[in-house]
Amino acid sequence: MSSPREMSVLDVVPVMPVVVVDSATDAVSIAKALVAGGLPAIELTLRTPAALDAIRAIVDEVPGILVGAGTIVKPGQAKLAMGAGAQFLVSPGVTGSMLHAMQDTGLPFLPGTATVSEAMAALEAGITELKFFPAEASGGVAFLKAIASPVPAARFCPTGGITAASAPSYLALPNVGCVGGSWLTPADAVASGDWDRITTLAAEAAALVP
Ligand code: 3PG
């Protein structure tokens, strides 16, 4: 069995649900709805006070889902997320201290990159799986196509502005493992507890790659 660091976050699901929650209870319902739709992974963003509790609750109550912590923007958050039970880490950008903090956890992680130089710096540090963020604002599919040949070792999870309609063109690229997005968990569906809608959106996303 591979160690956590060797696990490929990019190969678990074709679409990584990027989720913002205000309560751990909502997080558990969302996670269950995603699993029911065939997407057994979630990137829970550390953008709300409820985020760490939400990670703990999903780990406790939703078996079989891979739980990651996203929006890690300060080095100290890497350890906090691991303590809450996160199984992988995602950051929107990358600095030297962030890279070290994420490496220190021993967890797999996706550092955010938006330029060739940032991707090269991550590769120099031995990291080949990267987040490409903000994807649409940073050149989208055309950017990833252009760097596939000069920077072939980098594989990406593009996120930021991607939709159900644009996801297939990203997933068709050789240097894309999965895409990420918040479209699977619309705010109105969460507010009204429409978990079936989230399951439907997850099932559509899961079907993007046979
Ligand atoms: C992220 O952190 O990856 C993004 O906020 C997701 O972007 P989206 O909300 O445009 O899907």
Side-chain angles (χ1 to χ4, degrees):
M1 193 170 150
S2 59
S3 70
R5 172 65 64 64
E6 287 159 356
M7 183 193 77
S8 170
V9 175
L10 267 51
D11 295 327
V12 178
V13 284
V15 179
M16 178 62 70
V18 178
V19 176
V20 183
V21 289
D22 288 322
S23 84
T25 312
D26 281 353
V28 167
S29 298
I30 290 168
K32 286 180 176 167
L34 292 169
V35 171
L39 284 185
I42 185 168
E43 178 190 325
L44 214 299
T45 60
L46 303 190
R47 295 183 201 176
T48 57
L52 289 173
D53 279 345
I55 290 171
R56 279 186 208 100
I58 295 171
V59 170
D60 284 350
E61 297 178 42
V62 190
I65 193 167
L66 183 74
V67 190
T71 318
I72 294 195
V73 291
K74 295 181 199 155
Q77 290 175 313
K79 214 169 173 181
L80 286 176
M82 183 175 69
Q87 295 155 292
F88 68 95
L89 308 173
V90 186
S91 62
V94 60
T95 66
S97 52
M98 284 284 305
L99 206 60
H100 287 133
M102 293 200 285
Q103 267 170 331
D104 279 350
T105 65
L107 295 174
F109 62 93
L110 304 177
T113 59
T115 67
V116 174
S117 296
E118 288 164 0
M120 286 167 56
L123 289 173
E124 270 181 27
I127 315 299
T128 57
E129 295 202 338
L130 310 169
K131 171 167 165 137
F132 173 46
F133 178 81
E136 285 288 288
S138 305
V141 166
F143 174 90
L144 290 167
K145 261 188 194 161
I147 70 164
S149 172
V151 193
R155 284 180 79 223
F156 295 92
C157 174
T159 82
I162 299 178
T163 63
S166 63
S169 53
Y170 282 95
L171 291 168
L173 300 174
N175 54 352
V176 167
C178 67
V179 301
S182 60
W183 83 85
L184 303 170
T185 50
D188 60 333
V190 175
S192 64
D194 188 354
W195 313 124
D196 286 348
R197 183 159 159 227
I198 292 175
T199 294
T200 301
L201 290 167
E204 285 165 8
L208 288 175
V209 171

